[in-house]
Amino acid sequence: MILSPVVFLLLFNLYFVGNCGLILTGNMSSRKGLNGVCSVHEYTGSFIGQSAHFKMTSVCGHVMTLDFIGKYNSWDKVDPAELFSKAPTEKKEANPKLTMVKFLQVEGRGCDSIVLWLDCDKEGENICFEVLDAVLPVMNKSPSTERMIYRAKFSSITDTDICNAMNHLGEPNLNEALSVDARQELDLRIGCAFTRFQTKYFQGKYGNLDSSLISFGPCQTPTLGFCVERHDKIQSFKPETYWVLQAKVNPEKESSLTLDWDRVRVFDREIAQMFLNITKMAKEAKVESVSKKEKVKQRPLALNTVEMLRVASAALGMGPQHAMQIAERLYTQGYISYPRTETTHYPENFDLKGCLRQQANNPYWAETVKALLSEGINRPRKGHDAGDHPPITPMKAATEVELGGDSWRLYEYITRHFIATVSADCKYLQTNISFSIGPERFNCVGKVVTSPGFTEIMPWHSIALEESLPSCEKGDLFPVGEIKLLEMQTSPPDYLTEAELITLMEKHGIGTDASIPVHINNICQRNYVTVESGRRLKPTNLGIVLVHGYYKIDAELVLPTIRSAVEKQLNLIALGKANYHQVLEHTLDIFKRKFHYFVDSIAGMDELMEVSFSPLAATGKPLSRCGKCHRFMKYIQAKPSRLHCSHCDDTYSLPQNGTIKLYKELRCPLDDFELVLWSSGSRGKSYPLCPYCYNHPPFRDMKKGMGCNECTHPTCQHSLSMLGIGQCVECENGVLVLDSTSGPKWKMACNKCNVIVHFFENAHKVRVSPETCELCDAALVDVDFNKAKSPLPGDETQHSGCVFCDPVFQDLVELKHAAMRHPMHRGGQGKRQGRGRGKGRRPGGRPNPKKPKDKMAALAAYFV
């Protein structure tokens, strides 16, 4: 009996699964994988001429991520200089909660072949090898001569492209994967070293930097440099006054024609006045020449990523990161081709007519498309072929109702751009008339469209309507209506728009088409620039001082030259023309030397910081007392919020993205520091914390950054031991802790995720009892109601019971999620037993019919 081989198909993400069903034949069974996110589809079919059993599934982006091992992730214990060479790195699961490696191994076990359908770019190639590292050890071993690894190459999710890819399978490209590995390691080591040093140095000295991280990035910093360079030009600009001679002639009695001066402008007032006096003596303007010429405005080149991002920012008002996310979603849903491409040239065999026919019934452009199909399309202009993917093209029809909002606006632009590339050029007749008024020459220009061409589908590119020119010949005379001198001033350039910044980044080789939006988003998130009206990027004081400081110490840290050179080396690795290890070693050695020089010269940047920012001691307002000197510490509200004792010269980190206030002037029993209360708002959660314990964990089972709701002190009235009620109903390791400040709207909140349980509204007192529930081992709760507002049966005012199991309490408990200023990631789920929650139960003790789904699981259920 000959057994059919098992073929493992690996796709990029959960949206892709549903769209690839078009290559399947026969019956197919579908199920969820063990991680609850990725679907697995199984069917039988033909593979390379023989019957085979297929298993098709997906990953969610990168399977692995690069990070430093253990102790090297500690900012306090490691010298940043060690990160360049001494600090070992390791590949960790990118999202441990997805257990992607285990999932791939379970599904890949026993398979004979694997077909990789990851995105066809360098990142996709890198993910290919992450997948192979996970599944090859558990796959069936094949004879040395038998091939078992295949790579599918495709640019869109259409029947034609998918079937063509399946019929022409190749191999994954190791060189491209290594170039991504090199970039990841360089960015990790260089970025972390500089970021850790300058963050600790400056946040330890200044209180109003208003940025939680003073980050440095090999691409991010030159990106900021472009913005600050434009700012410096604006600040140093000195306006100059100039004068323009303007003349008007009257071809007819009731009409006038404004003429432009051939000299354009002069910067000397007396000379300008002389020209005005000379021309005023003339009463008529003589036509010196009339020329007419047919001109062409070319249709656009095919659309690549950079141009799409430029238009999205400049015309649609979308940030590059947002636009890229929308484009990726349109791609995974099959509406457009792959959105990451540098190519602006269609291959000869590209089915242009097929793509155009898809748009024949859209009411916005149906007439234009039908006319092109009947009269014949124009071959798109020859652009740049980068050898990656075809230009961005609409792959199926869509409506505004179907997509809606920004998705429709971006899709509409992509479609109009594509139709324009196969339309005719715009043709117009340009007329130039030259006049003489005395000895001075003037001219006027008029344009008349003879064939609108592509501007019908892209009306914003239409030829602007201008004054109609009179019919005239050489030697004709027209009376001069008015001649005057206009005084004007030169104006400074404006701040860079996102579109202009993208152009500069592309020109200087900073980032890739996929990473450019990330770098721009980073400088906004770090508070280095703000996005003003018109999506212009205005540097903040912090961004300006950083760039000026880099220029003062080592200009190459901020200039685009060195990063551009590194990008060229990375591209050579991808082409197999440079050695991965040599490029890595050489580049790290250069930046290591620069880092040591930067550290030795940091005083130069510090001098600039002193001018713009206030020292810690002069920032903030008194809030709580220090446990060492018993003087008031100052609360610094600017990011990152913290407490500073100027007498002890100590700074204490605090939880971010919330408000801090004094907590009843109560003190920590361990160190005598006054407690403070952190809150994310009235609809969120809150908990007290000791500033010293938060930064210096007092017990072995505690970590830095834990509040009183995670403190294991056995007797402190604010600790987890005294206020913990039971295991969180959603996350794996959290405990629901009573918020003793929340009355009369009482609640308990998970000390790990953002789950909140509201209960016992209007109760007078709520206390956690030392006794526990016999059914679920949760702590019992003593509740005391006012007699007038008691919801207890029989007009009782007091009751003691389990929040989860007591039937008296079941209608008084409500599960919610905290409203956070910056959403927290909800905890994962899994099978577990422990204090506070019986298996498959929820507040009120009622059976929980389904485990709570996380966001990925919900998305998978929707799209598959």
Side-chain angles (χ1 to χ4, degrees):
M1 179 179 179
I2 300 175
L3 297 176
S4 298
V6 180
V7 182
F8 195 28
L9 301 182
L10 221 302
L11 312 173
F12 179 60
N13 56 42
L14 59 93
Y15 310 111
F16 205 70
V17 173
N19 291 310
C20 282
L22 51 91
I23 67 168
L24 309 184
T25 57
N27 294 327
M28 180 182 73
S29 63
S30 299
R31 57 181 168 81
K32 284 289 181 187
L34 64 85
N35 62 8
V37 174
C38 301
S39 295
V40 181
H41 307 283
E42 297 189 53
Y43 65 100
T44 55
S46 176
F47 182 69
I48 314 181
Q50 60 179 314
S51 178
H53 179 76
F54 288 83
K55 292 176 78 174
M56 178 188 292
T57 189
S58 66
V59 293
C60 301
H62 274 281
V63 178
M64 310 299 287
T65 186
L66 189 70
D67 202 359
F68 296 111
I69 65 166
K71 71 169 188 176
Y72 289 96
N73 280 315
S74 171
W75 286 39
D76 300 321
K77 297 177 182 178
V78 177
D79 181 353
E82 295 182 31
L83 302 180
F84 285 98
S85 54
K86 290 183 181 179
T89 59
E90 63 178 343
K91 291 274 190 176
K92 300 177 180 177
E93 284 205 52
N95 190 340
K97 291 178 180 176
L98 293 179
T99 59
M100 192 61 70
V101 171
K102 182 180 178 182
F103 163 71
L104 290 173
Q105 289 177 341
V106 167
E107 299 301 337
R109 189 176 300 279
C111 289
D112 300 287
S113 302
I114 180 168
V115 184
L116 299 156
W117 289 81
L118 288 309
D119 280 349
C120 297
D121 58 8
K122 292 172 187 173
E123 295 290 337
E125 297 302 318
N126 189 261
I127 299 172
C128 281
F129 286 92
E130 292 175 355
V131 170
L132 291 175
D133 288 341
V135 302
L136 283 181
V138 300
M139 289 177 63
N140 292 336
K141 305 300 178 186
S142 64
S144 57
T145 57
E146 191 171 323
R147 183 178 168 194
M148 60 187 296
I149 300 170
Y150 300 86
R151 176 73 163 107
K153 296 283 185 178
F154 56 97
S155 295
S156 64
I157 306 169
T158 62
D159 297 38
T160 305
D161 249 30
I162 296 299
C163 292
N164 187 58
M166 194 66 172
N167 293 329
H168 299 86
L169 295 173
E171 295 181 358
N173 189 321
L174 179 60
N175 291 325
E176 289 191 358
L178 286 174
S179 74
V180 174
D181 283 338
R183 178 181 282 106
Q184 287 177 350
E185 186 162 350
L186 289 174
D187 290 349
L188 175 71
R189 292 186 182 277
I190 296 168
C192 285
F194 278 91
T195 297
R196 289 186 190 184
F197 171 73
Q198 62 188 28
T199 298
K200 289 182 69 177
Y201 186 89
F202 292 121
Q203 285 188 350
K205 293 190 69 174
Y206 303 101
N208 56 342
L209 297 175
D210 201 24
S211 181
S212 55
L213 199 67
I214 315 298
S215 64
F216 174 94
C219 287
Q220 170 194 301
T221 304
T223 302
L224 173 62
F226 291 129
C227 299
V228 175
E229 182 184 12
R230 176 61 65 88
H231 168 83
D232 291 342
K233 286 181 179 178
I234 294 170
Q235 296 302 307
S236 61
F237 183 84
K238 293 181 180 178
E240 288 186 81
T241 303
Y242 64 90
W243 288 265
V244 175
L245 203 58
Q246 187 186 79
K248 289 184 179 181
V249 297
N250 299 321
E252 298 175 3
K253 288 184 179 181
E254 296 182 358
S255 67
S256 66
L257 187 66
T258 302
L259 308 183
D260 296 321
W261 191 20
D262 279 10
R263 295 182 190 272
V264 185
R265 61 186 178 180
V266 294
F267 288 88
D268 189 303
R269 172 64 189 258
E270 292 183 0
I271 293 175
Q273 188 63 47
M274 178 194 73
F275 286 127
L276 175 64
N277 294 336
I278 292 173
T279 52
K280 271 194 169 182
M281 295 172 64
K283 301 299 181 184
E284 291 181 318
K286 182 181 178 182
V287 177
E288 296 292 340
S289 65
V290 179
S291 64
K292 294 185 178 183
K293 188 175 182 181
E294 190 174 80
K295 291 202 168 187
V296 172
K297 185 173 184 178
Q298 287 189 311
R299 58 193 180 277
L301 287 168
L303 187 65
N304 65 3
T305 305
V306 170
E307 181 63 18
M308 179 190 72
L309 295 177
R310 272 197 290 254
V311 172
S313 175
L316 304 180
M318 298 181 199
Q321 178 111 345
H322 179 55
M324 200 68 218
Q325 289 169 348
I326 291 173
E328 287 170 351
R329 187 162 62 246
L330 289 172
Y331 161 67
T332 55
Q333 293 172 341
Y335 289 106
I336 65 172
S337 62
Y338 193 59
R340 296 194 193 105
T341 178
E342 297 176 14
T343 295
T344 57
H345 176 73
Y346 282 108
E348 294 299 322
N349 61 350
F350 194 90
D351 187 10
L352 296 167
K353 284 188 176 180
C355 292
L356 197 60
R357 286 192 195 97
Q358 298 269 8
Q359 307 297 330
N361 295 319
N362 190 296
Y364 289 102
W365 44 74
E367 289 185 14
T368 303
V369 169
K370 288 174 182 177
L372 283 170
L373 289 171
S374 62
E375 296 168 12
I377 65 173
N378 292 275
R379 188 72 199 167
R381 290 168 57 196
K382 187 172 183 180
H384 169 65
D385 186 359
D388 49 359
H389 290 273
I392 304 170
T393 309
M395 302 311 296
K396 71 176 182 181
T399 63
E400 187 171 1
V401 174
E402 191 177 339
L403 296 179
D406 288 344
S407 294
W408 164 253
R409 294 169 64 222
L410 187 61
Y411 174 83
E412 180 186 13
Y413 171 74
I414 291 169
T415 304
R416 287 182 180 275
H417 190 110
F418 166 69
I419 297 171
T421 62
V422 295
S423 299
D425 293 336
C426 172
K427 295 179 182 179
Y428 60 95
L429 186 66
Q430 180 170 299
T431 303
N432 286 60
I433 305 177
S434 178
F435 292 88
S436 63
I437 302 178
E440 288 304 294
R441 289 292 187 103
F442 296 81
N443 69 80
C444 61
V445 178
K447 297 173 184 175
V448 178
V449 175
T450 56
S451 174
F454 77 94
T455 60
E456 284 187 327
I457 197 69
M458 299 178 85
W460 55 91
H461 283 303
S462 299
I463 302 298
L465 293 173
E466 297 179 353
E467 294 179 277
S468 58
L469 301 185
S471 298
C472 59
E473 297 178 357
K474 182 179 179 181
D476 287 353
L477 299 175
F478 294 102
V480 176
E482 179 185 31
I483 297 180
K484 61 182 177 180
L485 201 60
L486 302 178
E487 181 178 317
M488 308 176 82
Q489 277 194 329
T490 55
S491 57
D494 212 333
Y495 285 104
L496 283 177
T497 62
E498 286 172 332
E500 291 168 338
L501 180 58
I502 291 167
T503 302
L504 286 170
M505 293 174 73
E506 181 190 33
K507 177 183 176 182
H508 292 280
I510 300 300
T512 64
D513 51 5
S515 67
I516 282 173
V518 177
H519 301 315
I520 295 175
N521 187 61
N522 281 344
I523 64 174
C524 297
Q525 293 293 321
R526 299 287 183 261
N527 193 34
Y528 294 162
V529 299
T530 57
V531 182
E532 306 290 313
S533 62
R535 302 210 67 85
R536 295 190 177 274
L537 302 171
K538 183 178 181 180
T540 62
N541 278 344
L542 179 57
I544 293 165
V545 170
L546 282 174
V547 170
H548 289 173
Y550 295 134
Y551 271 115
K552 194 172 183 180
I553 297 172
D554 182 356
E556 284 192 337
L557 292 175
V558 72
L559 288 172
T561 48
I562 192 166
R563 181 61 192 194
S564 180
V566 172
E567 288 288 347
K568 288 176 182 176
Q569 291 299 311
L570 294 175
N571 285 332
L572 289 176
I573 293 175
L575 295 171
K577 296 179 180 180
N579 182 274
Y580 162 78
H581 296 287
Q582 290 176 352
V583 170
L584 201 60
E585 185 178 345
H586 178 66
T587 307
L588 287 174
D589 182 61
I590 291 173
F591 274 95
K592 184 178 181 180
R593 294 170 188 269
K594 288 183 174 294
F595 176 77
H596 284 296
Y597 183 74
F598 180 74
V599 171
D600 293 340
S601 309
I602 194 64
M605 184 181 282
D606 198 21
E607 289 173 1
L608 302 177
M609 287 282 187
E610 285 179 348
V611 176
S612 299
F613 301 102
S614 304
L616 277 173
T619 312
K621 58 182 180 180
L623 180 69
S624 66
R625 291 186 184 273
C626 171
K628 297 177 181 178
C629 65
H630 300 287
R631 289 178 169 86
F632 276 104
M633 297 187 292
K634 285 189 172 180
Y635 171 45
I636 299 165
Q637 200 166 355
K639 290 182 180 179
S641 58
R642 53 211 190 273
L643 286 167
H644 178 70
C645 178
S646 55
H647 184 265
C648 302
D649 196 23
D650 287 332
T651 304
Y652 301 97
S653 300
L654 294 171
Q656 302 300 303
N657 306 319
T659 58
I660 293 284
K661 61 183 180 181
L662 192 62
Y663 185 55
K664 304 177 182 177
E665 297 185 357
L666 297 172
R667 294 178 182 269
C668 176
L670 294 172
D671 48 48
D672 211 30
F673 273 71
E674 281 190 330
L675 303 182
V676 294
L677 183 72
W678 177 86
S679 173
S680 64
S682 58
R683 293 193 301 155
K685 65 183 198 177
S686 58
Y687 57 85
L689 62 108
C690 164
Y692 189 84
C693 294
Y694 188 82
N695 290 269
H696 305 92
F699 304 113
R700 288 184 180 179
D701 57 352
M702 290 182 65
K703 296 179 181 178
K704 187 175 179 179
M706 288 185 170
C708 296
N709 63 345
E710 294 183 81
C711 177
T712 52
H713 191 291
T715 59
C716 176
Q717 61 178 322
H718 316 292
S719 70
L720 171 65
S721 305
M722 301 298 287
L723 296 178
I725 294 177
Q727 185 182 2
C728 177
V729 295
E730 287 207 8
C731 75
E732 197 161 341
N733 301 313
V735 175
L736 293 168
V737 181
L738 174 66
D739 183 351
S740 57
T741 67
S742 59
K745 295 185 177 181
W746 298 93
K747 60 189 174 186
M748 57 180 176
C750 177
N751 59 7
K752 296 291 185 185
C753 70
N754 63 337
V755 164
I756 286 183
V757 177
H758 293 268
F759 52 12
F760 315 131
E761 187 171 352
N762 297 319
H764 178 59
K765 287 182 182 178
V766 176
R767 293 178 297 275
V768 180
S769 169
E771 299 178 12
T772 59
C773 175
E774 294 179 357
L775 293 176
C776 70
D777 203 30
L780 300 184
V781 176
D782 299 328
V783 187
D784 187 355
F785 283 97
N786 291 321
K787 190 170 184 178
K789 296 183 178 180
S790 175
L792 299 176
D795 292 329
E796 293 184 11
T797 58
Q798 294 180 341
H799 187 78
S800 180
C802 175
V803 171
F804 303 99
C805 305
D806 194 323
V808 175
F809 284 161
Q810 71 176 28
D811 293 326
L812 306 179
V813 179
E814 180 185 8
L815 173 67
K816 287 189 176 180
H817 291 92
M820 307 300 292
R821 297 187 178 191
H822 292 270
M824 295 171 61
H825 183 76
R826 287 170 57 182
Q829 78 243 19
K831 293 182 180 179
R832 57 199 184 270
Q833 292 290 327
R835 179 171 177 246
R837 183 185 176 210
K839 183 177 179 182
R841 302 187 77 80
R842 60 185 177 187
R846 293 163 292 182
N848 196 1
K850 289 184 180 179
K851 289 185 179 181
K853 289 185 177 181
D854 63 17
K855 186 182 290 186
M856 283 297 249
L859 283 173
Y862 179 77
F863 282 105
V864 174

